[in-house]
Amino acid sequence: MDYHTSDIVLAAFLKISGCQMTKIEKQGQKGTFVFANVDQDLVQSYDLGDARVEPVAFNNMIKQLTTSVKRMD
């Protein structure tokens, strides 16, 4: 089942954690990020503040996703 989120920070965390993003759906100036087969334990660890990622890679992923959404037209 697909997992949808408009939270770019969560999307960056999921990408860094190895989840497969299948598409970005643009709605106005925002994007909804669609992932396949997301482990709910990952989302729960993010929601509880227990998520751990490499900070530079995480920051770069946020920038990459932001750019991807801006390029869509």
Side-chain angles (χ1 to χ4, degrees):
M1 186 165 107
D2 287 344
Y3 182 82
H4 294 72
T5 184
S6 59
D7 182 342
I8 197 166
V9 176
L10 174 56
F13 168 69
L14 293 174
K15 285 271 293 174
I16 292 290
S17 298
C19 295
Q20 178 189 3
M21 186 171 65
T22 58
K23 64 182 171 178
I24 301 171
E25 299 169 346
K26 189 165 182 182
Q27 299 155 345
Q29 296 299 315
K30 291 190 170 194
T32 297
F33 305 93
V34 182
F35 292 86
N37 303 317
V38 172
D39 183 348
Q40 288 303 309
D41 289 341
L42 271 178
V43 176
Q44 185 175 10
S45 71
Y46 172 84
D47 288 340
L48 295 174
D50 294 332
R52 302 283 183 255
V53 292
E54 198 284 313
V56 173
F58 181 63
N59 187 53
N60 288 339
M61 183 57 65
I62 292 171
K63 289 178 183 177
Q64 179 184 339
L65 292 174
T66 300
T67 300
S68 294
V69 171
K70 286 181 181 178
R71 284 186 185 155
M72 296 178 73
D73 283 323

